[in-house]
Amino acid sequence: MRDHALRLQSLSKSFGRPAVDHLDLAVRPGEFYALLGPNGAGKTTTLRMATGLLAPDSGSVEVLGVDMLHDPAAAKRHLAYEPMVYAKLKPTEYLEFVAGLWGIGAAEAAPRARHLLDWLDLTKHAHELTEGFSRGMKQKLALAGALIHSPQLLILDEPLTGLDAAAARQVKDLLQQHVADGGTVVLTTHILEVAERLAERIGVIRAGRLIAEGTLDELRALAGLGADGTLEDVFLQLTGEPA
Amino acid sequence: MTKLNGAPGGTWWLLRHEVRMVFSATRKLRANGKISASWLGTSLTVVLQLLLHWGAYLLIPLIHRHGPTPALAAILATAALLVGVTLMLATALRGSVAALFERGDLDLLLSSPLPAKSIFFARLLGIVVSVAGIFLFFLAPLANMGLLTGHPQWLALYVVVIALALLVSSCAMLLTLVLVRLIGARRTKVLVQVLSAVAGALVFLLSQAANSRNELGARLQEMLHGDWSGVLWLGHAVLGQPAPLAGLLAAGVALFFFTTRTTRAFLSAACSRRPGRAARRQRRPAARVSISVAAWYGPRWSRNGA
């Protein structure tokens, strides 16, 4: 068993000014981790470096013990980053393609594709072009794409934004099931209720630095709040954002 | 050298996807969510090809009986080739902008274990196929009927079109990246649209110039007596002379591989900006067509082959 599903060490990235500043973060296998922060805090930049899409100025990224810098192909084999959906493909074609990117053949991917489409109530639309889908349907299909190759580490940037209640529930259930099956989820969200209810540990990032991390109770204690303090109270207290 | 592997995740497999995406724009959605049948388009394509072949069958013997002298033929072939290059460049520039900045799937591809060089190889080859496809649609009948009527040198058209598509698509991709670096992705898209319109207008003006025969004739006489060997070398390739043809193809292949090898580094330099709203929009699964600029791998990561 690896010690970390994702480990970022002294990770830095600057776009003129520091976006991520010597960030250290470790997520255990089988953990549901939420990364919170105000706009411009460096969450997306952090995730893009974690997925190998962006080169850090300094620091290291390890995915299940594999160094992203030295063996990116092996590191990426374990992870999925919320993909986009091709408007001119049908869901079945799309899932077949994404599975193929991870070297999985169409026949091998088909049962899992059917299962995911069924889970997300997309089976009856399986042979339609996704350009006619609602935003929620596209987002659910994108999540199916992220899960089609059974990644051990799922990294998602605002996966629930713009979803209606029913779709959000389906996505949350699927993410929880992924964790229950031994997978790891790292997500950013502005919907604090999601982090509060789903995440085992929460990291709060501000100006590219991790300013607090722990369970909700630990964060409450850090913020000097009692047991009835909500994550919103904790977040505002820790980030110094105006209420 | 990139290996052409047909298995899922291989370069050939990825190229099939690229070609599918290039031509998927023709897939239409019906009101009931089903995809409209494409039999009408296919039928029209077949009929048009038959007509073009028939026209070429009549035209080629005429050209060989009453056609221009070899020197004049080289000039005319060069002129036709330059017009073709202009149109190809406009098509390839649009393809490059779409492939690099509009389709929005580079995050998905680059976050997969596929080597980046395979991704850009397939992406550029997809543009080459689409550019060459358009021109071969109209020129292949001439080549085919040339062979049928005993003039196999017309087969050089296949090589010329493919070589030019390689050259022009590579140039277009590099130019797109330079433009994005200089003026940003959104303005690049606008500029490419303007260039396409200008290319179309240029071709129209050339066709009008060809109508004023006296003036054109005088110009051609000037050219015949001037030192145009450098430019006419291209025309000789079109006419099927082996050395210019091989040179053109070699140049196309060389620039193609140079571009696939350097695109990631260019992208990194062109797009080393903060992944702001545009990049986030790209990642959203709404799949809308948008100019999106994200920061890709830096040179440091490109050494590691992924």
Side-chain angles (χ1 to χ4, degrees):
Chain A
M1 186 76 168
R2 309 270 186 196
D3 291 339
H4 302 104
L6 177 66
R7 190 177 193 192
L8 312 178
Q9 287 183 297
S10 197
L11 203 63
S12 295
K13 183 72 188 178
S14 175
F15 299 102
R17 66 175 182 82
V20 176
D21 191 7
H22 294 92
L23 182 78
D24 290 299
L25 191 147
V27 181
R28 291 186 288 268
E31 192 171 34
F32 201 126
Y33 189 97
L35 189 62
L36 310 181
N39 289 336
K43 302 184 295 294
T44 299
T45 303
T46 301
L47 294 194
R48 292 180 68 78
M49 287 193 282
T51 50
L53 287 168
L54 183 65
D57 294 337
S58 64
S60 67
V61 176
E62 268 182 39
V63 176
L64 289 145
V66 182
D67 192 314
M68 182 68 81
L69 181 60
H70 292 111
D71 194 353
K76 290 173 187 177
R77 208 159 283 133
H78 299 299
L79 66 80
Y81 185 52
E82 187 182 72
M84 46 70 74
V85 170
Y86 291 99
K88 291 291 184 182
L89 292 186
K90 297 181 275 188
T92 45
E93 293 170 335
Y94 165 72
L95 292 177
E96 183 188 315
F97 171 68
V98 178
L101 289 175
W102 269 262
I104 301 168
E108 191 184 342
R112 184 155 174 80
R114 277 197 298 272
H115 169 72
L116 287 166
L117 291 175
D118 197 38
W119 181 302
L120 293 166
D121 276 342
L122 292 171
T123 302
K124 61 178 176 291
H125 305 287
H127 299 287
E128 298 171 11
L129 294 186
T130 61
E131 68 181 345
F133 284 15
S134 68
R135 176 167 180 171
M137 289 161 73
K138 286 174 182 168
Q139 208 141 331
K140 287 194 294 184
L141 181 60
L143 185 62
L147 291 167
I148 188 71
H149 60 98
S150 305
Q152 288 164 279
L153 172 61
L154 187 55
I155 297 180
L156 302 168
D157 195 4
E158 304 278 358
L160 295 153
T161 303
L163 293 185
D164 63 27
R169 168 63 70 87
Q170 285 175 312
V171 169
K172 283 187 275 189
D173 287 349
L174 198 56
L175 296 180
Q176 281 184 307
Q177 186 60 48
H178 183 67
V179 172
D181 292 341
T184 308
V185 173
V186 176
L187 60 75
T188 66
T189 182
H190 280 109
I191 308 170
L192 297 183
E193 174 264 341
V194 171
E196 191 167 352
R197 285 187 50 196
L198 300 182
E200 293 158 48
R201 283 197 309 140
I202 298 163
V204 181
I205 186 173
R206 191 183 64 181
R209 286 177 169 273
L210 195 66
I211 57 169
E213 187 184 47
T215 63
L216 182 54
D217 286 338
E218 288 167 346
L219 291 180
R220 280 192 189 112
L222 267 175
L225 296 171
D228 58 343
T230 64
L231 180 57
E232 187 179 62
D233 299 330
V234 171
F235 178 78
L236 294 174
Q237 180 74 24
L238 289 171
T239 57
E241 294 278 301
Chain B
M1 181 75 73
T2 303
K3 290 177 188 165
L4 288 178
N5 182 356
T11 308
W12 192 250
W13 174 87
L14 198 54
L15 178 63
R16 278 209 315 269
H17 169 73
E18 283 301 315
V19 174
R20 175 165 71 169
M21 293 316 297
V22 167
F23 293 102
S24 68
T26 58
R27 291 178 112 180
K28 300 284 183 222
L29 197 66
R30 289 198 308 221
N32 62 3
K34 303 286 187 247
I35 303 161
S36 60
S38 58
W39 62 268
L40 185 62
T42 309
S43 307
L44 281 174
T45 303
V46 170
V47 170
L48 191 55
Q49 272 298 305
L50 288 172
L51 286 173
L52 285 170
H53 275 81
W54 181 61
Y57 181 77
L58 297 177
L59 184 65
I60 285 172
L62 282 177
I63 290 174
H64 282 275
R65 259 200 306 274
H66 311 291
T69 61
L72 186 58
I75 294 169
L76 292 173
T78 304
L81 187 140
L82 292 176
V83 169
V85 165
T86 309
L87 290 173
M88 269 189 181
L89 187 62
T91 309
L93 277 171
R94 282 198 306 272
S96 294
V97 170
L100 292 177
F101 299 104
E102 285 184 353
R103 212 189 294 163
D105 61 350
L106 278 179
D107 273 6
L108 169 63
L109 298 174
L110 291 171
S111 66
S112 78
L114 294 189
K117 64 172 186 269
S118 298
I119 293 167
F120 291 117
F121 177 90
R123 186 132 293 193
L124 183 53
L125 203 51
I127 298 170
V128 171
V129 168
S130 65
V131 169
I134 294 166
F135 281 81
L136 283 178
F137 184 87
F138 294 102
L139 295 177
L142 285 170
N144 298 340
M145 289 299 107
L147 181 67
L148 204 71
T149 54
H151 305 287
Q153 64 269 33
W154 283 91
L155 286 176
L157 277 175
Y158 278 110
V159 184
V160 168
V161 169
I162 290 166
L164 281 180
L166 286 166
L167 263 174
V168 170
S169 301
S170 305
C171 288
M173 187 168 269
L174 294 173
L175 182 60
T176 301
L177 292 167
V178 170
L179 286 172
V180 168
R181 174 73 174 164
L182 293 176
I183 60 174
R186 194 175 296 277
R187 285 178 187 154
T188 297
K189 189 186 176 190
V190 174
L191 186 62
V192 163
Q193 286 169 341
V194 172
L195 286 175
S196 299
V198 169
L202 198 63
V203 172
F204 174 74
L205 287 174
L206 281 171
S207 70
Q208 293 306 300
N211 288 336
S212 55
R213 289 181 188 171
N214 291 338
E215 193 179 341
L216 184 69
R219 294 273 179 216
L220 290 177
Q221 286 301 320
E222 273 178 38
M223 288 180 78
L224 281 170
H225 293 103
D227 183 16
W228 291 85
S229 53
V231 179
L232 295 183
W233 185 81
L234 288 169
H236 290 300
V238 178
L239 296 175
Q241 291 185 12
L245 204 55
L248 192 63
L249 188 59
V253 171
L255 189 61
F256 175 83
F257 280 105
F258 170 78
T259 307
T260 57
R261 292 284 168 150
T262 52
T263 299
R264 186 173 55 178
F266 269 101
L267 258 179
S268 176
C271 307
S272 57
R273 297 174 182 183
R274 189 178 183 81
R277 195 184 305 163
R280 285 194 289 276
R281 198 162 51 229
Q282 176 193 20
R283 278 196 324 281
R284 278 183 207 149
R288 71 186 68 149
V289 173
S290 64
I291 287 290
S292 45
V293 177
W296 274 279
Y297 300 70
R300 181 182 159 203
W301 289 43
S302 66
R303 288 197 299 269
N304 297 290

